[in-house]
Amino acid sequence: MANEQGSGGAAAGVPRIDPAELNRRLNADVAEVEALGRTGARIDPTAGDIPDQVRAHAARIGFESPVDAAAQALRHIAELPAGERGTGSPLAPYHAAAGRTIAEGEVVAHSGRRVVFHRAAPVAAGVTVRLEASVRVTAGGPVWLDSFGWPAVETAVPVHAFAGTRADHLAEAITELSADGPFDQAMLMVFATALGDPGDGDDARRRELARLVADRPGQLAAYVSQAGTYAESVRANGPYGACLHRSALESLFENYLGSAAFALVDQEDVDDLDEVLREEIPEADTLAPETIPVGTPVHHWWWNLAVRV
């Protein structure tokens, strides 16, 4: 979904930011990152267990670049459960969650120069998300965080694990929307209602969810846009986020909105999203089949494209 360019080079419809304001925001982000005290740490690669040494410095390990630290927090904060996102700036809660993953998580890869930690975090009753912190050990012993969020490399375990019933997940989605919780977390629960045999369902609750979504056209449009962002970045970040967002949208359209979906979402935007998925996923790293949430409808073709089956 390429941006159209105007005569001045700026994307059409995107407001320009005054250079002085851009510089102010950048300086504020850098100052906030530096105030976290995550200025890196140093270990002795020749002495003792490297993962244990890294764990001991979990509270100090951050990104080598403060600018990258701010960008990563903004880009990946929504991959955390709502309860770990905080209510203000994402920088502190994002880095706190990364530190917790390093301190408490399971070591799933260790090459001497890189240690990868996974932690399963609760999202809702019966639903967990697997978070990954990848730590780089540089020559001489300085250690830095390279990435944090959903697993960025192929993993033979689910990123999201779902237990409970369809009715449970539908009730959770309605609760999130009624409380004006994070829209993306409500959409995750919408996707969960499509896993396995949907059964007869509760028509009144289905209509309630449809009404709540219809009352938030801006948030739905933003979710479609976020799906496009994940689709366009699959070569760098893997296909998981793009596939998850597309399945959540398909579940919403098929099971709740029906033909009303395209009174809320532009059909062309969805078609563009699918075109990007078809073009970009084959060029990205593959997903392990175990990554696909159990019960995902077989016609959600983007997952099969991602695992090459």
Side-chain angles (χ1 to χ4, degrees):
M1 293 189 288
N3 290 322
E4 297 178 3
Q5 299 295 317
S7 59
V14 178
R16 299 187 182 193
I17 299 177
D18 180 82
E21 172 64 12
L22 182 62
N23 192 55
R24 186 196 67 77
R25 292 187 188 183
L26 179 61
N27 289 338
D29 286 344
V30 169
E32 186 177 353
V33 170
E34 291 178 343
L36 298 176
R38 292 183 173 273
T39 54
R42 183 181 295 273
I43 67 169
D44 183 352
T46 67
D49 184 89
I50 289 178
D52 281 351
Q53 291 189 67
V54 172
R55 286 188 199 278
H57 295 284
R60 290 186 54 80
I61 297 174
F63 292 90
E64 189 168 8
S65 161
V67 175
D68 188 34
Q72 293 288 342
L74 291 169
R75 186 176 300 132
H76 296 289
I77 188 68
E79 297 174 10
L80 276 59
E84 296 192 22
R85 299 181 194 178
T87 57
S89 166
L91 271 64
Y94 176 78
H95 287 82
R100 182 179 175 189
T101 301
I102 295 169
E104 302 175 6
E106 171 191 6
V107 176
V108 297
H110 172 211
S111 65
R113 293 301 183 187
R114 187 172 306 278
V115 187
V116 180
F117 300 88
H118 279 190
R119 172 171 64 92
V123 175
V127 181
T128 61
V129 62
R130 183 174 294 268
L131 300 173
E132 177 183 278
S134 179
V135 176
R136 170 170 38 99
V137 181
T138 63
V143 292
W144 299 99
L145 187 64
D146 264 350
S147 63
F148 175 60
W150 291 334
V153 297
E154 182 174 319
T155 178
V157 291
V159 177
H160 286 92
F162 300 92
T165 67
R166 181 178 184 278
D168 294 334
H169 301 318
L170 178 55
E172 182 66 29
I174 290 172
T175 296
E176 288 287 349
L177 292 169
S178 298
D180 202 22
F183 190 81
D184 64 279
Q185 187 155 305
M187 288 294 290
L188 177 67
M189 305 314 297
V190 168
F191 171 50
T193 68
L195 302 177
D197 183 3
D200 293 333
D202 182 331
D203 287 343
R205 299 288 271 172
R206 289 159 63 98
R207 289 193 296 271
E208 183 179 5
L209 185 134
R211 177 187 61 78
L212 288 166
V213 170
D215 285 344
R216 294 161 174 77
Q219 290 177 306
L220 180 56
Y223 190 85
V224 174
S225 178
Q226 184 61 47
T229 298
Y230 273 112
E232 290 166 349
S233 66
V234 295
R235 299 193 198 194
N237 299 316
Y240 183 80
C243 291
L244 180 70
H245 278 64
R246 184 63 183 88
S247 277
L249 287 168
E250 192 69 13
S251 302
L252 178 69
F253 298 161
E254 287 188 336
N255 300 328
Y256 299 95
L257 296 182
S259 62
F262 297 107
L264 300 170
V265 176
D266 191 326
Q267 173 74 60
E268 186 175 349
D269 288 343
V270 178
D271 291 342
D272 287 348
L273 171 59
D274 287 347
E275 182 179 353
V276 173
L277 293 175
R278 290 189 178 94
E279 291 177 353
E280 296 297 318
I281 289 179
E283 304 300 323
D285 291 337
T286 61
L287 292 177
E290 295 86 353
T291 305
I292 303 177
V294 175
T296 296
V298 295
H299 64 277
H300 290 201
W301 52 264
W302 36 89
W303 293 101
N304 287 341
L305 196 61
V307 299
R308 313 289 200 269
V309 298

